[in-house]
């Protein structure tokens, strides 16, 4: 990867065309400006799909479905690996596209936004396409001797709707599994970050994916409604807020279409007695503040044992010294901007309301913010009851809250005292106790002592308002497969 970031600073994809039926198509719908959140500059003007173009994209996917589903797993795998080859070859364009429209610091984006998406997750999906999932149930003798197989077949046309914070990752999480399973796809990006998705459409054509197998459109909320309620769509996969997810579930229900919803979180990070807090405090804070806190699994609800509370605050100061807010093209920066000014004000509102309710800023970055760009300095809030808004609701910004607890049972109760259940982390120096606590937490992913990176072969999703179904791994594959029982007399 080229490290001459100055040469990439102003690069954005030139394509403004949709991809429908394997062809570039001029958009006919509403137009809007795309901003660089770090500079506030308008970096592009784009047009969304018209209602007729949404219909055309679904029709193209529907037409392409039988032939794509009929391919062998090996053939679909070759197509997906070819696409991964093309994406890797264009990594030096994907990186600045994401940095300039999302604001993720380049020091983080090269791996989190590009390499992980393509080299790990798309490659894994390509290999998963080869797997024969037929299950042989064996004999059954009532009332006559029979044998049975269970086979898995692609569900059909998938509407894949992504969030703004990880435009390439979230797209690959969805279409990688869907295409590997034999489905065809209509991909719709967040209107806040459409450029990388439009560029992806261009790269799909370069990879010579069969026409209609993958269609790329953009648009505002009306386009999303038309797509998620379209009678030609068999499954809707969405990443975003729980409020929007609930509406998408209603829209898909009109056609009894299935849904996979990866929604919000208010994920706890639990520090149990006996942990050497000086070894983990910095990592804890640099993790929840990653991507400026704009991550659904951000571990921003810090539950710390009473005996460690003061030591934790003292050790945490070093992390705030290491937080550099500013230009995402500066390799020293690790905290970028909020995506839009309205979101910045929403994040600031959580901070202001918490102070008004009697909470305190225990730690914060106090260096002046850049004059331009929608930045928020990271803050650690304390002194709030566990039912406070900032403790219970997803902030989606560089704001964490710390809550002390008296014993492990209380820690588990507090961890589960939320409408969400996406992720959690347990810090503990006793592996047996750590596992016991992890198994009592109601969350789709529980890390112990920081866990590791997001595995492509492990499920991701949550309990409660964190969503429906799972992405990634074999569990994510099965979201796009129908199950058929075939039984015959011996």
């Amino acid at each position: 990867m080229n490290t001459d970031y100055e040469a990439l600073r102003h690069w954005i994809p030139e394509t403004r065309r949709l991809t429908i039926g394997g062809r570039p198509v001029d958009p006919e719908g509403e137009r809007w400006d795309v901003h660089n959140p770090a500079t506030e500059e308008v970096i592009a003007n784009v047009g969304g799909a018209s209602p007729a173009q949404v219909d055309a994209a679904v029709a193209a996917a529907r037409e392409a479905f039988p032939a794509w589903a009929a391919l062998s797993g090996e053939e679909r795998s070759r197509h997906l690996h070819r696409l991964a080859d093309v994406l890797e070859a264009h990594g030096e364009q994907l990186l600045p596209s994401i940095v300039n429209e999302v604001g993720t610091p380049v020091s983080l984006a090269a791996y989190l936004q590009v390499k992980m998406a393509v080299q790990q997750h798309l490659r894994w999906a390509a290999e998963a396409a080869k797997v024969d999932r037929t299950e042989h149930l064996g004999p059954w003798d009532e009332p006559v001797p029979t044998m049975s197989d269970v086979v898995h077949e692609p569900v059909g046309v998938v509407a894949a709707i992504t969030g703004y914070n990880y435009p390439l990752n979230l797209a690959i999480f969805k279409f990688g599994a869907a295409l590997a399973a034999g489905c065809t796809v209509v991909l719709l990006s967040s209107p806040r970050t459409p450029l990388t998705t439009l560029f992806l459409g261009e790269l799909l054509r370069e990879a010579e994916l069969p026409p209609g197998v993958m269609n790329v459109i953009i648009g505002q909320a009306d386009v999303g409604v038309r797509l998620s309620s379209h009678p030609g769509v068999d499954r809707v996969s969405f990443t975003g807020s729980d409020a929007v997810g609930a509406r998408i579930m209603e829209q898909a229900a009109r056609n009894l279409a299935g849904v996979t919803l990866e929604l919000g979180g208010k994920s706890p990070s639990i520090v149990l007695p006996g942990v050497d807090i000086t070894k983990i405090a910095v990592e804890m804070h640099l993790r929840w503040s990653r991507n400026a806190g704009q991550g659904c699994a951000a571990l921003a609800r810090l539950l710390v044992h009473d005996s460690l509370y003061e030591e934790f605050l003292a050790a945490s100061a070093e992390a705030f010294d290491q937080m550099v807010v500013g230009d995402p093209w500066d390799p020293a920066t690790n905290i970028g901007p909020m995506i839009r000014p309205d979101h910045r004000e929403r994040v600031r509102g959580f901070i202001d309301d918490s102070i008004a309710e009697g909470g305190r800023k225990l730690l914060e970055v106090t260096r002046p913010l850049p004059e331009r760009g929608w930045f928020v300095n990271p803050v650690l809030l304390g002194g709030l009851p566990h039912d406070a808004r900032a403790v219970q609701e997803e902030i989606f910004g560089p704001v964490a809250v710390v809550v002390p607890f008296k014993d492990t049972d209380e820690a588990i109760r507090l961890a589960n005292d939320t409408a969400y259940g996406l992720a959690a982390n347990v810090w503990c120096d006793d592996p047996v106790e750590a596992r016991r606590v992890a198994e009592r937490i109601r969350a789709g992913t529980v890390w112990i002592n920081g866990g590791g990176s997001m595995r492509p072969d492990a499920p991701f999703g949550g309990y409660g308002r964190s969503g429906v179904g799972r992405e990634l791994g074999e569990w994510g594959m099965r979201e796009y497969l129908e199950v058929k029982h075939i039984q015959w007399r011996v």
Side-chain angles (χ1 to χ4, degrees), residues 143-147 487-490:
V144 296
T146 63
M147 297 284 283
Q487 185 176 29
W488 65 97
R489 290 192 182 188
V490 176

Side-chain angles (χ1 to χ4, degrees), residues 50 73 75 194 226 304 354 405 489:
S50 66
E75 290 172 308
R226 191 172 187 91
V304 179
S354 296
F405 63 85
R489 290 192 182 188

Side-chain angles (χ1 to χ4, degrees), residues 265-266 268 301 386 391-392 413-421:
K266 193 66 181 179
R301 188 162 52 109
H386 202 258
V391 182
Q392 289 293 327
R413 180 181 64 79
L414 292 174
N416 292 334
D417 181 18
T418 172
Y420 299 101

